[in-house]
Amino acid sequence: MPMYEFRCPSCGSLTTELCKLGENGESLSCPGCGHKGLAKKISKFSSPGVKGSSGGTCSPGCHGNCSGCH
Ligand SMILES: [Zn+2]
């Protein structure tokens, strides 16, 4: 299952939850203040400007081996 970060709109605390794909946080409660319904944070995968060490620079078909692409 994927992990998502949720932010409590009431107290602002962050919580990381393992939840099923498509979970939007409406059914989750804040562990800090008990507020029902958390706001899902944008996942790291879609953050702009951060290039990881894998992916992005490899040619198609490299599969992380990189022996032939750079
Ligand atoms: Zn809270």
Side-chain angles (χ1 to χ4, degrees), residues 8-58:
C8 175
S10 179
C11 72
S13 69
L14 288 172
T15 179
T16 304
E17 297 281 349
L18 271 174
C19 54
K20 63 182 184 292
L21 204 64
E23 173 64 63
N24 59 14
E26 283 178 9
S27 61
L28 300 175
S29 295
C30 174
C33 71
H35 180 89
K36 186 93 185 287
L38 304 181
K40 185 176 169 184
K41 284 193 63 178
I42 304 300
S43 84
K44 298 180 182 110
F45 299 107
S46 55
S47 307
V50 180
K51 284 260 195 308
S53 56
S54 64
T57 59
C58 292

